Amino acid sequence: MVYLPAAFTETDRDVLAAHIERHEFALVVIAGAAGLVASHVPILLDRDGGDWRLSGHLARPNPQVAAFAAGGEALVIFSGPHGYVSPRWYEAGPAVPTWNYVDVHAYGSVRLVEDETWLRNF
C-alpha cells in the first residue's frame, strides 16, 4: 500500500475514473514465481455499474503472462502529472521542497483471458 495522508486522498470515483482514462498507459505489477514482475501496458477501464474491470494486453513471451495465469493480486499504477515544488514557492515559511504528483493505484485480482472470441472483440 502507498502512504497517503488523508488530506491528499481522492475518493470520488468519477475523478478516479477520469484520471485512469486520461492516463491509460499504466504500470502493472504482480508477484510471479521469480518475484515481482512489471510491465507498462495500455489499460482500458470498464465501469460496469459499481464493478470496475481493467483490461490490457501482454505479449505471450512476456514473463508476466505466467504470473497472470497463476492468479493472485496485481497493482496497477496510473501516473499523471508531477513536478518539483520549491520552498521559495510558499509565501509563509519555513518550508521544505516537495514533489507534487497525481497517481491512481488500483489493486485487484487478476485473470488471464485466452478465449479467442473474447480477445477478437477486445
Side-chain angles (χ1 to χ4, degrees), residues 49-117:
D51 295 330
W52 288 12
R53 280 185 294 284
L54 301 174
S55 300
H57 176 270
L58 294 170
R60 287 191 189 274
N62 185 323
Q64 201 167 34
V65 171
F68 269 77
E73 187 177 33
L75 164 62
V76 182
I77 302 171
F78 299 90
S79 294
H82 60 90
Y84 174 76
V85 179
S86 169
R88 289 181 269 164
W89 185 84
Y90 299 96
E91 292 181 15
V96 297
T98 189
W99 201 267
N100 193 18
Y101 65 95
V102 180
D103 281 347
V104 170
H105 288 200
Y107 299 86
S109 57
V110 299
R111 180 172 62 108
L112 181 64
V113 177
E114 297 185 282
D115 178 71
E116 290 185 27
T117 303

